[in-house]
Amino acid sequence: MLENLKKYHILLASKSPRRRELLSELRIQFNPISIGGIDESYPDNIPKVDVPQYIADRKADAYLSFITENEMVITADTLVIKDEHIFGKPHSEDEAFKMLMELSGNVHLVVTGVCIVTKDRRISFTSTTEVKFSNISEEDARYYIDNFRPLDKAGSYGIQEWIGCIAVEWIKGSFYNVMGLPIHRLYQELKIF
């Protein structure tokens, strides 16, 4: 599969175990890397749905000076957006609880920006999924936070975890995008890279 990629040493620039798991499902060889310290700030005047792509591109730019001609880097950034408000990774359990309570009973967007870059080529794209949460009780939110520690997840939840089973009424778009990597779209882009 993906014979066109055999000339590249593929690098996934992510600490996310979910992204690593999803990319491994494509049956391509890759190595996870992370240089850390990348500035993930963004201009206030860009539309919220464009922020993940902006950050994924910034991450790719940070790796360009480190890669060789035969290396390909894949970067991604996922954010949850509700009512034009961005929910990134929570900084505390209290913040995680507030996020879950705000998402409770509402529809939100999960937007992932992805960038595939080599020394001489770049493809960037965005995937958006709508997610509808049922009402979440405070008790359920606390149980989830205490037992699943979602401080490393945008919006304070992982759809593949217990909270996804009890709270997600419906989704419109890619399930895997909500996990952090729109793997179907990534596969299509890698096929033509």
Side-chain angles (χ1 to χ4, degrees):
M1 300 305 297
L2 298 175
E3 293 293 320
N4 60 314
L5 299 183
K6 292 212 181 233
K7 61 186 173 187
Y8 296 113
H9 177 213
I10 300 171
L11 305 169
L12 176 63
S14 178
K15 294 179 186 175
S16 166
R18 290 158 301 283
R19 286 194 183 119
R20 292 174 185 180
E21 175 188 344
L22 290 171
L23 188 57
S24 69
E25 292 295 329
L26 292 185
R27 305 284 192 234
I28 59 174
Q29 294 292 319
F30 71 93
N31 292 103
I33 58 168
S34 177
I35 58 174
I38 297 171
D39 179 12
E40 295 187 17
S41 62
Y42 53 88
D44 291 335
N45 62 343
I46 67 171
K48 302 297 187 246
V49 295
D50 294 341
V51 169
Q53 187 62 66
Y54 180 88
I55 295 172
D57 285 332
R58 285 193 82 164
K59 289 177 181 179
D61 291 342
Y63 284 91
L64 266 177
S65 62
F66 295 100
I67 63 173
T68 62
E69 295 295 325
N70 69 333
E71 290 180 316
M72 169 190 286
V73 176
I74 300 170
T75 64
D77 193 74
T78 302
L79 294 173
V80 170
I81 302 170
K82 179 186 167 284
D83 300 330
E84 290 296 306
H85 181 71
I86 290 178
F87 294 72
K89 296 174 185 174
H91 296 102
S92 67
E93 290 182 6
D94 286 341
E95 188 178 5
F97 179 78
K98 288 176 187 170
M99 285 184 189
L100 289 175
M101 290 295 94
E102 212 167 317
L103 297 176
S104 175
N106 292 298
V107 175
H108 62 273
L109 301 178
V110 179
V111 183
T112 302
V114 178
C115 185
I116 307 164
V117 67
T118 63
K119 282 288 193 190
D120 60 358
R121 189 151 182 223
R122 175 186 296 246
I123 294 176
S124 296
F125 64 89
T126 299
S127 180
T128 302
T129 304
E130 284 183 83
V131 181
K132 170 66 165 76
F133 268 19
S134 62
N135 290 317
I136 303 169
S137 70
E138 290 187 6
E139 180 183 8
D140 283 345
R142 294 271 184 223
Y143 174 84
Y144 175 66
I145 293 165
D146 290 345
N147 289 279
F148 291 87
R149 313 290 303 153
L151 300 183
D152 65 336
K153 295 172 179 67
S156 302
Y157 79 94
I159 193 170
Q160 72 281 7
E161 297 173 338
W162 179 82
I163 197 79
C165 297
I166 66 121
V168 175
E169 281 188 30
W170 54 260
I171 69 168
K172 182 178 179 184
S174 169
F175 174 85
Y176 297 110
N177 182 54
V178 183
M179 283 182 67
L181 194 63
I183 202 68
H184 173 266
R185 175 75 186 274
L186 178 58
Y187 179 74
Q188 300 305 316
E189 298 293 349
L190 289 172
K191 277 171 65 173
I192 60 170
F193 196 88

